[in-house]
Amino acid sequence: MITRKWVAAGACGLLATLAVGLFPANAVAGEPVAKESPKVELVLDVSGSMRATDIDGKSRMAAAKQAFNEVLDATPDEVQLGIRTLGATYPGDDRQQGCKDTKQLYPVGKLDRTEAKTAVATLAPTGWTPIGPALLGAAEDLKGGDATRRIVLITDGEDTCAPLDPCEVARDIAAQGIHLVIDTLGLVPDAKTRNQLICIAEATGGTYTSVQHTAELSGRVKQLVDRAATPVLTPVATEGAKQCQGAPQLGAGLYTDREPFGEHRWYRVDVKPGQELRASVSIAADRAVNNDYGVMLRATTVHGREIVRGSEAGDGRTDMLSTGLRYPKAEADDETDGDGKPAAETVCLQVSNSFSAPASVKTTPGLPVELTIDVVDGPDHSADAASFGLGRGWWLLGVLVLAGLLAGLLWGWISRWRISVWRTN
């Protein structure tokens, strides 16, 4: 005689069979291989000049500590983070000794926020500014494995330990081919400090940011740590033209260029019918500039007709301006290329800026430009595409409904069979 246990076992077996058939080995096999956690080391200047009280009415060191605490709280769990200092321990006048003053304050690895904050709290402005040795030490701290690696250098002055030029150190690190990026942040920087930090960052494909306020420091370091957790493409250097004709042909990717003050650059992108062009541009003010400026990104036809534009303006309170645009090209018409396929349209992208600078500021080289281009399939409004757009949750719901229906039918059939057997007996 069939009991309820048998029925329950049968229903469970049915559900298990459905699960194996609908989610199986394909789901496991299709999952991406786990990547090594990204590594980031924050390198902090703790030299004597960090005593200066010119950031929001408090010392540079106090501002750095506050920013570090906020960054540590916001660091993604998957990031292996470490902290290295320079100029933190030797207060004397011996240059040779002072230029060795760099040490790892917190090892690169899984972050213990309380321990890291305690270590940072003990710091006090002390000695020299050995940036070159600190970068070498940080590169050593991050060596090994295939993880994304990033150094974030925060300093308020130029290196005091020449002839070990930190810019040459950065170039040597880049030449090793270990894909280590160095980003630099200058606290209330002067012209010499700014130039040196720009050189360090450019040598490794990193970024430079001038910082005047605590919130700026905290926000930028958080952004760079997050970028390590979700790395972007390695930028490719390009050189825009003064007009669309003869401009470089670009595909999807991340590009860097230099644009003179108040000028523009042209680039070309092919967009096929049914595709959508998505482009964005950022221009950084890596030196002192006049207030009130803007950035514009235009898409035009090769004949000069404007398709779409994006623009953004600033008033002197930010070091970077960004804007973007989207252009969906209509489905294929009768025009085809030599192979009988729908012909692509060449779109001209124009990047313009209205930056200006005081007479005392050197305007060459031009401002750093970061251009992102993506060409994706345009929106598909068919029923099939819509159903896929609902996401995995709807598939699971559908499976559960089907399993419930089949289990109900099976339960009803077994119940009717039991009743017929009971009546027969």
Side-chain angles (χ1 to χ4, degrees), residues 134-151:
L135 293 178
L136 289 173
E140 185 71 14
D141 297 339
L142 295 170
K143 72 176 183 179
D146 297 320
T148 300
R149 281 167 282 189
R150 200 171 209 102
I151 294 172

Side-chain angles (χ1 to χ4, degrees), residues 374-398:
D374 199 7
V375 180
V376 301
D377 290 335
D380 185 349
H381 300 294
S382 67
D384 289 342
S387 65
F388 272 95
L390 293 175
R392 293 184 178 179
W394 287 96
W395 286 98
L396 177 59
L397 179 60

Side-chain angles (χ1 to χ4, degrees), residues 13 68 71 95 108 133 206 228 272 298 302-303 343 351 361:
F68 264 52
V71 169
R95 179 190 183 88
V108 178
K272 296 179 180 179
R298 295 175 66 227
V302 291
H303 304 295
V351 177
V361 174

Side-chain angles (χ1 to χ4, degrees), residues 14 30 38 95 111 125 147 157 161 206 212 217 224 236 250 254 273 280 282 310 351 401 405 411 424:
L14 174 63
R95 179 190 183 88
L111 180 62
C161 292
Q212 307 285 336
L217 176 59
L224 294 171
V236 176
L250 305 180
L254 181 65
S280 63
S282 297
V351 177
V401 170
L405 176 61
W411 176 268
T424 302

Side-chain angles (χ1 to χ4, degrees), residues 126-212:
T126 302
W128 296 66
T129 312
I131 294 177
L135 293 178
L136 289 173
E140 185 71 14
D141 297 339
L142 295 170
K143 72 176 183 179
D146 297 320
T148 300
R149 281 167 282 189
R150 200 171 209 102
I151 294 172
V152 180
L153 170 66
I154 302 104
T155 180
D156 69 338
E158 62 177 332
D159 182 270
T160 56
C161 292
L164 185 60
D165 184 349
C167 192
E168 290 300 322
V169 170
R171 293 191 182 108
D172 290 342
I173 291 174
Q176 295 174 19
I178 57 176
H179 307 297
L180 193 160
V181 174
I182 303 174
D183 297 292
T184 59
L185 291 89
L187 305 181
V188 197
D190 56 25
K192 286 186 177 181
T193 300
R194 181 184 296 109
N195 291 337
Q196 187 173 82
L197 295 181
I198 290 172
C199 183
I200 293 170
E202 288 184 345
T204 61
T207 60
Y208 163 74
T209 306
S210 172
V211 176
Q212 307 285 336

